[in-house]
Amino acid sequence: MVDFEELFSAVEHIVINSKEDCTSAVFVPLKGEKVDAHRFIPMAIEHGAKHVLTAENSAELQKKYPDVQFYSVEDTLEALQAFGAFCRRKYKGTLIGVTGSVGKTTTREMIAAALSSEKKVFQTKGNANSQVGVPITLFDMAKAKQEISVIEMGVSIPGEMERLARMCSVDMAVFTNIGDAHLENMQTKENTCFEKMHILMGDPGRVELYLPKKDPILSQLTEERIQDMGFLGKRALSLFFYEKEELPLSVPGEHMKENAGIALLLSKRLGISEKVAEKAVCAFSGLPGRGEKILTKDGILILDDSYNASPDSMKAALKVLSEEKGTRRVAVLGDMNELGKEELLRHREIGEVMRGLSIDCLFTLGEKSKEIWKGLGEKTMPGFTFLSLEELQRAVEKEIRSGDVVLFKASHSLSLSKVIDKLVEKHKV
């Protein structure tokens, strides 16, 4: 059995990649589908690890590395999550958990921006919202000892949120929406809602739940219906609904106005001055790959929404594109993954939405995205469909010119960010 108190005091970081600097860290070798990181323990030690969790017999390693502390566990992932839960119980501040189908990272960042205007705030680094990322985040949170923490909690298959929730025991739970993301595993939006509602699980006490008023599924929930789901246990529930705020934001889109709504509501609940919070929210300029605006020296406006895509987020991004001022509005779109058996229909719907928007040119990447063209129906538009990222890149570089507004959006695996990098390199910022 690992003495978590001793381990917490002994290390400053948790490392799962043996190639990284492991000085003052505990190395946690995880077993993947193809690779068992236990074989990289010597590399981690070479990179400074003095503490190592292991699910294998460490007797020979102990002889070879007598200065290293090995902790024997049955399963390294389970041990990491148990350590994360221990770190959560050490933390004495307010913990806000953010979940939903899309927009978690941007929502989290805007909430943190508003709260940071008057409070000391910790938040998830990057996109560490998974079964591995969350326990590491909880460790970093406990070490940081800030007044408020805003962490991201993502799931893709049933059962994952319960494990995250038991680790995190959030004080405040925020939903961005219930959309079409992860339908391949969840099957229906209702299943997605039920899975994510496990976020309410945790230690006895009160939990506050914040839901978007415009979401067709979440807006129908009441305290009684949520109680009937059976996740609360000995927790008391306070339910709040939030809606968009009409403010002069630095980032466009109705979804950003909703982000502002929840950021300001939480700020009010946590005692932050309304004017100060509004100023912080209005100054928020977006994140790379998640709606960031990039203006080149020769007047090309790039809307970088390339990090990920779902039907809901793609429709929202296209609406933003159609409302931007420019010589031409160009959409560079790619496949949306994990949508299940209706994935082709979901792509066709994007084209149907585009019929009513002011968009002048379309490029698509991927087999599924050919359906977007079908959805356009009789509406004709310059552009082309590609199966190769390199061919798409060459076509976009040749086509885009000064005065254009260009949206990039697709699932992360399509790597549209590489096309953006080349475009920025060519046109300078």
Side-chain angles (χ1 to χ4, degrees):
M1 182 124 181
V2 181
D3 185 333
F4 286 141
E5 187 66 58
E6 176 187 283
L7 181 58
F8 183 83
S9 300
V11 301
E12 295 299 323
H13 311 283
I14 297 174
V15 176
I16 59 172
N17 184 346
S18 60
K19 295 179 181 179
E20 295 179 6
D21 181 6
C22 297
T23 306
S24 302
V26 55
F27 176 63
V28 183
L30 300 174
K31 294 183 179 181
E33 291 182 7
K34 297 180 178 179
V35 179
D36 183 348
H38 280 80
R39 74 185 199 188
F40 301 123
I41 289 175
M43 181 185 292
I45 294 172
E46 288 175 14
H47 289 161
K50 296 295 185 182
H51 301 267
V52 177
L53 295 186
T54 175
E56 296 182 351
N57 190 312
S58 59
E60 291 302 315
L61 284 170
Q62 189 68 78
K63 290 179 183 177
K64 187 174 182 180
Y65 305 103
D67 295 335
V68 175
Q69 174 70 56
F70 292 92
Y71 301 85
S72 295
V73 298
E74 289 188 13
D75 182 286
T76 50
L77 177 58
E78 289 181 4
L80 174 62
Q81 293 179 344
F83 189 34
F86 166 84
C87 295
R88 164 61 182 109
R89 273 68 192 177
K90 286 186 72 69
Y91 178 67
K92 303 305 179 186
T94 299
L95 177 55
I96 302 169
V98 180
T99 193
S101 297
V102 295
K104 293 184 291 297
T105 301
T106 305
T107 303
R108 181 202 83 213
E109 287 273 355
M110 192 178 282
I111 290 170
L115 298 178
S116 296
S117 61
E118 290 187 344
K119 303 280 187 178
K120 293 181 178 179
V121 178
F122 169 89
Q123 65 166 314
T124 300
K125 298 173 184 175
N127 194 40
N129 64 9
S130 66
Q131 300 293 309
V132 174
V134 168
I136 295 174
T137 295
L138 293 174
F139 172 86
D140 293 338
M141 177 186 78
K143 285 287 186 180
K145 298 179 182 179
Q146 305 291 37
E147 297 172 84
I148 303 171
S149 292
V150 190
I151 72 167
E152 192 174 325
M153 300 167 70
V155 299
S156 57
I157 61 175
E160 289 186 325
M161 184 57 82
E162 180 175 351
R163 291 192 289 275
L164 296 183
R166 291 190 184 280
M167 272 189 274
C168 296
S169 189
V170 301
D171 301 302
M172 296 172 156
V174 174
F175 275 68
T176 59
N177 51 30
I178 297 296
D180 294 318
H182 306 308
L183 284 182
E184 184 175 7
N185 295 318
M186 300 295 186
Q187 303 300 319
T188 68
K189 289 184 179 181
E190 288 73 19
N191 288 347
T192 302
C193 178
F194 186 79
E195 170 63 25
K196 290 181 180 290
M197 203 57 69
H198 284 76
I199 194 174
L200 298 174
M201 300 177 77
D203 298 336
R206 180 164 294 277
V207 59
E208 297 182 1
L209 175 62
Y210 295 81
L211 303 176
K213 200 170 185 178
K214 68 167 283 187
D215 188 275
I217 294 177
L218 295 172
S219 62
Q220 301 303 308
L221 295 177
T222 63
E223 289 189 14
E224 290 73 21
R225 291 182 67 180
I226 295 169
Q227 289 275 5
D228 290 342
M229 291 182 180
F231 305 137
L232 288 166
K234 294 182 179 180
R235 308 197 95 190
L237 174 68
S238 294
L239 177 60
F240 302 87
F241 289 94
Y242 66 91
E243 34 192 346
K244 66 181 182 181
E245 286 282 345
E246 295 292 346
L247 293 171
L249 301 176
S250 301
V251 283
E254 293 297 303
H255 54 301
M256 290 298 183
K257 294 178 182 178
E258 289 189 11
N259 291 346
I262 181 58
L264 294 180
L265 179 54
L266 288 175
S267 296
K268 183 178 180 180
R269 292 287 299 168
L270 293 168
I272 291 170
S273 164
E274 183 177 354
K275 288 185 178 180
V276 172
E278 284 186 3
K279 183 178 179 181
V281 164
C282 289
F284 179 75
S285 58
L287 300 168
R290 291 181 166 95
E292 182 186 32
K293 287 185 174 183
I294 304 170
L295 182 63
T296 68
K297 287 185 176 180
D298 53 355
I300 297 170
L301 179 60
I302 298 169
L303 305 181
D304 180 5
D305 212 349
S306 61
Y307 184 80
N308 218 335
S310 70
D312 292 333
S313 65
M314 189 168 280
K315 291 171 188 175
L318 286 166
K319 188 171 187 298
V320 168
L321 171 64
S322 71
E323 294 171 351
E324 288 286 347
K325 294 180 180 180
T327 307
R328 295 183 306 165
R329 301 172 186 88
V330 181
V332 183
L333 310 177
D335 287 356
M336 300 176 288
N337 297 326
E338 298 183 20
L339 295 181
K341 58 185 179 182
E342 294 189 336
E343 61 181 7
L344 298 183
L345 173 62
R346 296 286 177 255
H347 284 79
R348 208 171 307 136
E349 287 174 352
I350 300 301
E352 292 170 1
V353 167
M354 290 180 67
R355 294 180 200 172
L357 298 176
S358 297
I359 296 174
D360 306 295
C361 186
L362 171 66
F363 293 94
T364 62
L365 175 64
E367 192 68 45
K368 288 176 280 193
S369 290
K370 291 179 180 178
E371 297 294 316
I372 297 176
W373 289 93
K374 294 181 181 179
L376 287 173
E378 296 180 356
K379 180 172 182 176
T380 58
M381 181 179 302
F384 200 73
T385 183
F386 298 92
L387 297 179
S388 160
L389 183 69
E390 291 73 22
E391 289 180 359
L392 171 72
Q393 179 183 306
R394 286 194 291 270
V396 169
E397 284 187 23
K398 183 177 180 181
E399 178 68 26
I400 300 306
R401 54 183 180 265
S402 178
D404 287 345
V405 183
V406 193
L407 167 70
F408 290 86
K409 191 157 185 67
S411 283
H412 188 65
S413 60
L414 275 80
S415 302
L416 278 189
S417 59
K418 294 180 180 179
V419 182
I420 296 174
D421 291 342
K422 289 291 184 180
L423 200 61
V424 168
E425 182 182 329
K426 177 180 178 180
H427 294 272
K428 314 282 183 217
V429 295

